[in-house]
Amino acid sequence: MELQGSVLKAMEELFALPTEAKQRNVCPKPFAGYFSHNGLSESFGIKDANILEKAHEFTQQLWPEGNKSISKMIQLYAEKLAELDMMVRRLILESYGIEYFIDEHLNSTYYRMRLMKYIARPDNDITAAVGANVDNGANDNADGDANVNDDGASIGVKVNVDVGDDVNDNDSVNIGVGVDINVETNVNGDLDAEANGDATAWVVGAVSGNASVGAKEANVDAELGLPSHTDKSLSGIIYQHQIDGLEVKTKEGKWIRVKPAPNTVIVIAGDALCALMNGRIPSPYHRVRVTERKKTRYAAALFSYPKEGYIIDSPKELVDEKHPRAFKPFDFVDLFNFYHTEAGRRAPSTLQAFCGVSAGK
Ligand SMILES: O=C(O)CCC(=O)C(=O)O
Ligand SMILES: [Fe+2]
């Protein structure tokens, strides 16, 4: 807990840096470094954060000399989370009776840490009704954009903004409307946004707004800090500091809120683990909604990924008559690259579209 307190302090210092400095946290891979989402969340990415030299390379991206104490703290924290993560993955493989595979599996992975800040939403209400007419499967993703137009969704929105006294001198009001729709069955034609998805609207700036259009009232959400997505990783260990926001979708399609508790972390399975385990461990949809007003939420997560060149292929013990092979063997790099293509983004399930046996590819 003491270490978590120090990590929180470090996060406050890191996020307080000027934007130009934060943007120097780059990585050759898309969205693997610093990025911000709709002005509601921002995050840093640190590859191999559990290795001191690598953690120090991260602080050197931000300060010319780096920051030795922050590097050390990040490394220590990543190391602790990695220990826990390896224990979890070991238990999973043991519980399926594939102990022989543990060493090979653990040696085929690396870590990436993400430090996240979600800003408090404005202290004003907005009410919005949005009619969405979607003729295509829309896929949402962790990388920030619910691509309304790209997904072939058509949406019309009329926004009436009522700028109140408390706007101060912020006269530039920024309004965005997005659609976040989980299509889990094959939907052709009109999609009833109310029944099948979430339409989201966000307003940045101190305004009271009223957006309305279309016949259907949708579930409008002004607090979506991170749209619904599945992680592409094997596993993720998430620590949310005091302010809750993480929501996970159950198999029944119900969103449950995961409350933060002291000294508690959340383990979440990603697509790579789902594929490796022949679908036995599904990767759940999750999202972040910060509903507490005027609160800033900090979270830190350590994700494990398969190393480049390692072929993910379900061990034969996980394949039988009751569980036919669900995914074709693949290199994680190719899944990751596919995820960042138009087709990958549009697919209701990136994993299924990329290597699902039923995808017929
Ligand atoms: O902030 C959180 O609790 C979760 C973040 C998340 O889902 C992600 O980075 O993939
Ligand atoms: Fe996630």
Side-chain angles (χ1 to χ4, degrees):
M1 283 180 88
E2 201 179 302
L3 183 58
Q4 270 167 346
S6 313
V7 170
L8 177 75
K9 277 215 181 73
M11 279 202 271
E12 285 168 346
E13 192 173 335
L14 291 166
F15 285 111
L17 286 169
T19 307
E20 317 85 84
K22 293 190 274 195
Q23 285 173 341
R24 288 199 297 270
N25 170 220
V26 288
C27 181
K29 287 212 164 102
F31 298 103
Y34 174 83
F35 68 89
S36 80
H37 166 66
N38 294 328
L40 283 182
S41 66
E42 53 180 326
S43 62
F44 291 105
I46 312 160
K47 187 170 184 232
D48 297 318
N50 54 321
I51 300 166
L52 185 57
E53 198 190 330
K54 300 291 177 178
H56 197 54
E57 278 172 22
F58 163 69
T59 62
Q60 282 171 318
Q61 290 180 319
L62 306 175
W63 292 280
E65 302 294 312
N67 182 320
K68 283 217 165 86
S69 69
I70 291 186
S71 308
K72 182 71 204 149
M73 199 184 318
I74 286 173
Q75 183 273 328
L76 247 177
Y77 192 49
E79 190 181 287
K80 295 281 169 217
L81 294 184
E83 265 173 40
L84 181 62
D85 169 72
M86 282 190 268
M87 201 187 296
V88 170
R89 285 191 282 145
R90 184 181 287 276
L91 287 170
I92 291 172
L93 297 177
E94 274 176 13
S95 72
Y96 282 91
I98 42 179
E99 287 86 350
Y100 75 88
F101 184 58
I102 293 174
D103 286 345
E104 174 185 332
H105 170 67
L106 294 179
N107 288 329
S108 70
T109 63
Y110 72 93
Y111 288 105
R112 190 183 289 280
M113 178 167 257
R114 195 151 273 289
L115 303 176
M116 295 162 285
K117 177 187 175 182
Y118 297 82
I119 63 154
R121 68 188 173 113
D123 193 17
N124 293 74
D125 281 329
I126 71 154
T127 52
V130 178
N133 175 23
V134 177
D135 57 13
N136 209 325
N139 184 28
D140 15 81
N141 57 70
D143 302 326
D145 25 354
N147 285 323
V148 178
N149 297 325
D150 297 357
D151 289 322
S154 75
I155 181 166
V157 175
K158 183 169 133 254
V159 181
N160 301 316
V161 179
D162 197 345
V163 180
D165 292 345
D166 51 351
V167 173
N168 308 328
D169 30 37
N170 175 7
D171 52 15
S172 87
V173 173
N174 196 347
I175 295 175
V177 175
V179 181
D180 167 19
I181 297 167
N182 301 323
V183 183
E184 277 159 352
T185 52
N186 197 9
V187 178
N188 283 320
D190 283 0
L191 176 75
D192 179 342
E194 192 179 15
N196 297 302
D198 306 325
T200 69
W202 57 88
V203 176
V204 179
V207 299
S208 89
N210 177 17
S212 67
V213 84
K216 284 169 190 149
E217 279 261 329
N219 172 16
V220 170
D221 195 330
E223 296 127 356
L224 205 63
L226 197 60
S228 166
H229 64 281
T230 61
D231 290 341
K232 303 301 151 236
S233 53
L234 284 155
S235 55
I237 308 264
I238 303 171
Y239 165 65
Q240 45 179 358
H241 183 77
Q242 291 176 355
I243 311 296
D244 54 324
L246 181 64
E247 297 181 342
V248 181
K249 200 176 191 182
T250 65
K251 278 186 197 157
E252 291 73 39
K254 201 172 145 233
W255 284 103
I256 47 170
R257 228 163 145 74
V258 185
K259 293 274 173 206
N263 218 4
T264 300
V265 292
I266 298 131
V267 179
I268 196 155
D271 288 350
L273 189 65
C274 175
L276 181 72
M277 301 304 289
N278 197 28
R280 308 270 194 112
I281 300 195
S283 43
Y285 273 94
H286 56 285
R287 65 185 182 191
V288 178
R289 280 173 61 236
V290 178
T291 50
E292 268 196 74
R293 290 180 176 209
K294 294 184 175 169
K295 293 278 190 215
T296 300
R297 173 179 184 267
Y298 288 96
L302 188 74
F303 296 101
S304 69
Y305 293 97
K307 285 181 185 161
E308 185 163 352
Y310 183 81
I311 302 299
I312 299 177
D313 191 5
S314 307
K316 57 182 185 323
E317 291 78 4
L318 300 176
V319 182
D320 56 33
E321 254 174 46
K322 241 173 103 194
H323 306 93
R325 185 170 294 277
F327 303 100
K328 290 169 198 155
F330 65 94
D331 183 334
F332 180 73
V333 176
D334 297 327
L335 170 67
F336 195 83
N337 291 338
F338 175 68
Y339 178 60
H340 291 288
T341 63
E342 192 54 35
R345 282 170 178 271
R346 287 169 70 125
S349 160
T350 319
L351 185 64
Q352 201 58 46
F354 177 68
C355 62
V357 167
S358 57
K361 282 197 279 174

